[in-house]
Structures are given as structure tokens and as C-alpha cells.
Amino acid sequence: MRKLIKGIFLNPKSDYSVEVLNNYYLLIDNGKIEQIEKNIEINEVAFDVFYDFGDRIIIPGMIDLHTHIPQFRAAGIGKGELLEWLDNYIFLLEAKFSEKHFAEDSTKLFFKHLISKGTTTAVMYSSPQKQACEIAFEIADESQVRAYIGLPLMDRNTPEILVQNTEQVINDIFSIAKKWHKKNKCEFVLTPRFALSCTEELLQKVGEIAESDDFFVQTHLAENKKEVQEVKLQFPDIENYTSVYDRYNLLTPKTLLAHCIFLNDEEIEIINERNCIIAHCPTSNKFLRSGIMRANKYINAGLKVGLGTDVAGGYCLSMLNEAMEACEVSKLLSVQNEMHDDVLEAESAFCLSTIKAAEFLEISEEVGNFEIGKKFDAAVFELSEVHKITELKENELLRALMYNIDNRTAKAVFIDGNLVYHK
Ligand SMILES: [Zn+2]
């Protein structure tokens, strides 16, 4: 099947720049980009379908590096900081995922909304029940999303209704991974929820699996001050929070660390040496009154930084929203620190949520931006009616899109060249 797509393409680049392909045509053959042209004679091109998106904006499918499938129904609900919020809202909601129908309905709802916001690749936590994790994979697979999903591991400091048996959950890891790891567009991710929820025995075993197999690892790190203090109490002989994961060989180039707000220079150095990936989740960090991560400081230090919605700490699945928030909180940080260097610009935030994230997930040869030979993962958006395309400069298009907070829903979304959503 050959598809011809016309519109205004915003094309993020690895050097944090954004190219504007105004009124371009992309020819898609069998899901892959075959041609990118400004002027073509339509009569001379062989295609089966023509999508003329006119003056709509087309961006690469966005990549969410950190979010929680079962928490979606709690978006915006609840109050308080991380640890009490988990106890008062989230664990109760995740416990309901032991009911099969609730888990199925909620998971379908999550993926429907995820795709509608233009996200085509996501790294996610399922609910901690084995069945809920398998349901997540089944629905992700049907949705066609490039899905990295982990069963959150929690064998201590967890309400009785959710706490896992260490030996049993290790068996569950192997059982789910055997069925779903690298099947179609799915990958199983090793997911110690965070240091406080795991015994040292469990961390040890997961570290061994991470070393022996080619898995991504995801966890939370230094999100909240009280959490950091608790980790000190529970691991008194380990120097700092980052070193807890390092002790158990959980820090690898395929490890995604969400939040990373309260890190000292030594910890930043460890993360840099281990070449881990940081998932910056500014909306969640506001909602749970956690703090502001110094994204630019980390990027300038050479760390791999991407963005995550962290629903339901975050209250919106839109990565355009998350990119905007990353810019906005960086401005507050720059005022607070009196350092202009802390400001993250829209172009950088856009690249973090597309091509840079693809590089970190080792899929940039396939997706992340529009290049010949790559798969066509894309989302089509309409600008707000207050912005007339003809009156905008090309370099204003990205901000007009990113700050269009009244409408975060895509008009159309493609994965592998297939139209998976349209409005
Ligand atoms: Zn999270």
C-alpha cells in the first residue's frame, strides 16, 4: 500500500533543531518513508491513498518515557505528596486491577487516550498483578503502540492487597517475558517500582536478570525529599539513593530513571558513567509538589534526558503538554536559581520527546523523525483558530502547536504508516 501525505511537517533533529517542511509531500510505501518532496506532480506519482492535511501540522509520533497504565483513572484526583498520595489513592486504585473486567476496560481507555494525544511509543508500568500486566500487553499489542511495559515489583512496604511474594514475582517476570518480550512491537521491562518497595533480595535478583538478558530497566529515583530520607533509613550502609540501584547492578545504558530531582554531583556522575536514561516528568513533579528537575544542567552534563507524563502524578497523557511544561518549569527554575542556562527552549523539549527519546530507546533508525527509510509514525494536529498559519513565521509554528492547550487531541495518528486514530 502506497500513501501520499501532504501537510506542514515539523521535523526534529538530533542536534535539537527543528526543520519545517512547509507544504511537503511524504510518500509512504509499506509503512516506510520512501520520498520527501516539496514539489511533485501528483499525476506522476503512483499511490493508493492521498491524505491532504492542508495547513495542519504533522509531527513524528511522540515518545513517552514514563507513565502508569492503571493510574489513568486517578488523573487529577487526589492531593498530598508522593508517599501519602500513593497510600491514599494509587494503591487502592491499582488493587482494583485484580478484577479482570475493570483492568481490561481501564487499560483500553488508557491506550485510546494515549494514541489520541499523538503518542506512538511509550514506556509504561502496568498494575502489579500478573494478570493485569498480561492484559496490558494484549491491549497494547492490539493498539499497535510501540509498548515497553513492566510489572512493578513490590515485595515490601506495600499494602497487603498488593504486596508480592519475592519468589513468585520472579517466576512471573520470566513467564510474562517469555510470552511478550520482543513480540511484535512489545517489550518487557524490568521494573523495581522504587527502592522502598523492594527487598534487597529482590533487587539482587532483578539486577542479575538485567545483567544476563537484554532488558530495559525502569524505576523511580529521587522524586521527593521524604522518599529520599526514607531510602537513607532503609539502606543505611549505602551512600546515596542512586548507589542503592548501582549496588544491585540495575544501572545500565538501558535503565530509565524517572524524576531524578534530588541528586548530588556524585550521583549525577554515576548516572553519567552508567549512561542511564533520565525521564523528566515536570507535570507530575508540580502536581505532587515534588520539585523541579534541572533538565538543562543534566543535558549539558551529557546525560540522556527524555520526557514522561507520569500519569497519574501527571494529569495529562499529552506529550505536547509535557514538553510545554518542561519549558515552563525551567523558566521558574531559572528565576529561582538566577541562572538563565536553566531555560529549556521549545525546540529542545520537542526533540527530547521525539528523536532524542528514540535514540535512547535504540529505535532511532526506525522512528523519531521524518527521514527516508524510517517508519511513518506521525500525529496530525490543527492549530488554534487564533493562529492563522499565513500570519505565522515558520519558527513560530512549533510554539503555536505546543501552547495550544485548549486542544491536545490529534486529528489523525499513524503507526507504521497505518491510520490508527482519526477524529
Ligand atoms: Zn511514576
Side-chain angles (χ1 to χ4, degrees), residues 12 18 32 104 360-361 391:
V18 178
K32 287 187 178 172
E104 284 172 344
F360 305 151
L361 293 178
E391 289 166 14

Short mmCIF file of all heavy atoms in Angstrom, two decimals, residues 12 18 32 104 360-361 391:
data_model
loop_
_atom_site.label_atom_id
_atom_site.label_comp_id
_atom_site.label_asym_id
_atom_site.label_seq_id
_atom_site.Cartn_x
_atom_site.Cartn_y
_atom_site.Cartn_z
N PRO A 12 11.98 17.12 13.93
CA PRO A 12 13.02 17.29 14.95
C PRO A 12 14.32 16.60 14.56
O PRO A 12 14.30 15.54 13.92
CB PRO A 12 12.41 16.62 16.19
CG PRO A 12 11.45 15.60 15.64
CD PRO A 12 10.93 16.15 14.35
N VAL A 18 14.79 22.08 14.82
CA VAL A 18 13.54 21.59 14.23
C VAL A 18 13.39 22.17 12.82
O VAL A 18 13.39 23.39 12.64
CB VAL A 18 12.32 21.99 15.10
CG1 VAL A 18 11.02 21.51 14.44
CG2 VAL A 18 12.44 21.41 16.50
N LYS A 32 6.87 2.65 5.33
CA LYS A 32 8.13 3.38 5.43
C LYS A 32 8.16 4.60 4.52
O LYS A 32 7.55 4.60 3.44
CB LYS A 32 9.31 2.47 5.06
CG LYS A 32 9.62 1.46 6.11
CD LYS A 32 10.89 0.72 5.77
CE LYS A 32 11.24 -0.27 6.87
NZ LYS A 32 12.34 -1.14 6.50
N GLU A 104 -9.37 -4.63 32.14
CA GLU A 104 -9.49 -4.54 30.67
C GLU A 104 -10.06 -3.19 30.24
O GLU A 104 -9.52 -2.53 29.35
CB GLU A 104 -10.40 -5.67 30.16
CG GLU A 104 -9.70 -7.01 30.15
CD GLU A 104 -10.66 -8.16 29.84
OE1 GLU A 104 -11.89 -7.96 29.92
OE2 GLU A 104 -10.17 -9.25 29.53
N PHE A 360 17.56 7.08 22.65
CA PHE A 360 17.81 6.43 23.95
C PHE A 360 17.20 5.02 23.99
O PHE A 360 17.73 4.13 24.64
CB PHE A 360 17.25 7.27 25.10
CG PHE A 360 17.76 8.69 25.12
CD1 PHE A 360 16.98 9.72 25.64
CD2 PHE A 360 19.02 9.00 24.60
CE1 PHE A 360 17.44 11.03 25.64
CE2 PHE A 360 19.48 10.31 24.60
CZ PHE A 360 18.69 11.33 25.12
N LEU A 361 16.07 4.86 23.30
CA LEU A 361 15.44 3.53 23.27
C LEU A 361 16.03 2.65 22.16
O LEU A 361 15.57 1.54 21.93
CB LEU A 361 13.93 3.67 23.05
CG LEU A 361 13.12 4.30 24.19
CD1 LEU A 361 11.64 4.40 23.81
CD2 LEU A 361 13.26 3.50 25.49
N GLU A 391 -0.14 33.97 8.84
CA GLU A 391 0.46 35.10 9.55
C GLU A 391 1.60 34.68 10.48
O GLU A 391 2.25 35.52 11.09
CB GLU A 391 -0.62 35.84 10.36
CG GLU A 391 -1.57 36.59 9.44
CD GLU A 391 -2.84 37.04 10.15
OE1 GLU A 391 -2.86 37.01 11.39
OE2 GLU A 391 -3.80 37.39 9.44
#
